[in-house]
């Protein structure tokens, strides 16, 4: 079993031995970019990550390997306390898949790189902009110690980009709005108000975001769980 002392090169060589063309074909059906994929599932990559432990310098080398699984392993084994905004921005230059974006967003949230959210949102590239709203969605769930006001401060950014019709952006904007609204009763009212405003918008994308958010935020089970 490969262990914590493994180098990036040794890990990549190990990943190559696990290649599955059948799995690569299956990934493509879920919209995962497979040009550099080896076909290793994320649960299996997470098992490898647990066995090799976190190592930030090695994670940077893994990312440079330009292989889907090596990059996912980089995200799983990077050290949030060592990740710099410059490194996160550099990785974002390579984002080409919703899967990579959503995994990276979790890491960026844990690293508390919130200052990157407006920067990523201002970037017109689809997957970079998605990162901003995936980070907001993740923070609403995972950063339980943050005040509600921190999350509510992102509502204007959500509204500002609610007209972006690209699939992976509009879904992330919707995701961010729904997660803020489900966070607490204090968040629910302003998030629902924004959803209603978007639902009445003349723009097709904003209307879809608003109506979909309203459907979830007015669900009885969701309201019952709010504190």
């Amino acid at each position: 079993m490969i262990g914590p002392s493994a180098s990036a090169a040794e890990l990549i060589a190990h990943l190559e031995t696990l290649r599955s063309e059948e799995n690569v074909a299956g990934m493509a059906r879920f919209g995962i970019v497979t040009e550099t994929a080896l076909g290793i599932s994320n649960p299996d990559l997470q098992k490898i990550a647990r066995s090799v432990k976190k190592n930030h310098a090695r994670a940077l080398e893994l990312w440079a390997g330009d292989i889907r699984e090596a990059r996912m392993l980089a995200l799983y084994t990077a050290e949030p306390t060592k990740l710099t905004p410059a490194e996160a921005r550099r990785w974002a230059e390579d984002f080409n898949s919703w899967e990579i974006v959503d995994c990276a967003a979790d890491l960026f949230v844990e690293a508390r790189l919130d200052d990157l959210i407006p920067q990523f949102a201002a970037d017109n590239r689809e997957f970079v902009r998605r990162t901003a709203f995936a980070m907001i969605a993740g923070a609403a769930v995972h950063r339980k110690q943050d005040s509600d006001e921190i999350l509510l401060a992102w509502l204007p950014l959500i509204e500002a980009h609610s007209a972006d019709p690209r699939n992976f952006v509009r879904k992330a904007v919707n995701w961010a709005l729904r997660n803020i609204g489900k966070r607490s009763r204090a968040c629910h009212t302003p998030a629902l108000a924004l959803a209603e405003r978007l639902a009445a918008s003349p723009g097709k994308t904003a209307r879809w975001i608003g109506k979909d958010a309203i459907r979830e935020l007015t669900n009885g089970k969701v309201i019952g769980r709010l504190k």
Side-chain angles (χ1 to χ4, degrees), residues 28-91:
R29 290 195 291 272
F30 288 95
I32 294 172
V33 175
T34 58
E35 282 81 353
T36 65
L38 302 175
I40 306 170
S41 71
N42 288 340
D44 285 342
L45 288 172
Q46 289 163 354
K47 289 179 184 177
I48 295 171
R50 288 192 292 271
S51 68
V52 301
K53 311 299 182 186
K54 293 188 181 294
N55 181 317
H56 197 68
R58 186 184 61 202
L60 296 174
E61 292 182 49
L62 285 168
W63 187 272
D66 193 27
I67 297 169
R68 171 203 170 262
E69 284 75 5
R71 287 185 168 172
M72 292 297 289
L73 199 56
L75 295 171
Y76 290 142
T77 60
E79 297 174 66
T81 58
K82 294 183 179 180
L83 183 69
T84 68
E87 289 166 349
R89 283 193 295 267
R90 190 156 61 245
W91 283 0

Side-chain angles (χ1 to χ4, degrees), residues 35 38 74 100 106 113 146 175 186 209 226:
E35 282 81 353
L38 302 175
I100 288 284
D106 285 343
L113 300 180
D146 286 1
W175 181 22
I209 290 170
L226 294 175

Side-chain angles (χ1 to χ4, degrees), residues 185-208:
R185 290 195 178 276
C187 287
H188 183 266
T189 298
L192 182 58
L194 174 55
E196 290 170 340
R197 190 157 66 248
L198 294 178
S201 168
K204 179 180 178 181
T205 301
R207 282 201 310 274
W208 175 83

Side-chain angles (χ1 to χ4, degrees), residues 51-146:
S51 68
V52 301
K53 311 299 182 186
K54 293 188 181 294
N55 181 317
H56 197 68
R58 186 184 61 202
L60 296 174
E61 292 182 49
L62 285 168
W63 187 272
D66 193 27
I67 297 169
R68 171 203 170 262
E69 284 75 5
R71 287 185 168 172
M72 292 297 289
L73 199 56
L75 295 171
Y76 290 142
T77 60
E79 297 174 66
T81 58
K82 294 183 179 180
L83 183 69
T84 68
E87 289 166 349
R89 283 193 295 267
R90 190 156 61 245
W91 283 0
E93 292 290 320
D94 297 325
F95 288 169
N96 64 352
S97 166
W98 64 266
E99 174 197 40
I100 288 284
V101 166
D102 295 358
C103 186
D106 285 343
L107 173 63
F108 296 172
V109 165
E110 190 175 357
R112 305 194 75 86
L113 300 180
D114 296 14
D115 288 348
L116 293 179
I117 291 176
Q119 296 177 35
F120 288 154
D123 194 304
N124 196 47
R125 289 171 291 183
E126 183 173 11
F127 290 110
V128 179
R129 182 168 290 171
R130 178 184 173 88
T131 307
F133 298 100
M135 287 179 68
I136 295 170
V141 173
H142 300 299
R143 297 252 290 267
K144 299 186 186 301
Q145 301 306 313
D146 286 1

Side-chain angles (χ1 to χ4, degrees), residues 156-174:
L157 193 68
I158 289 172
E159 185 167 15
H161 291 283
S162 62
D164 192 323
R166 292 173 295 180
N167 188 47
F168 292 111
V169 176
R170 72 184 181 99
K171 286 187 174 181
V173 171
N174 170 264

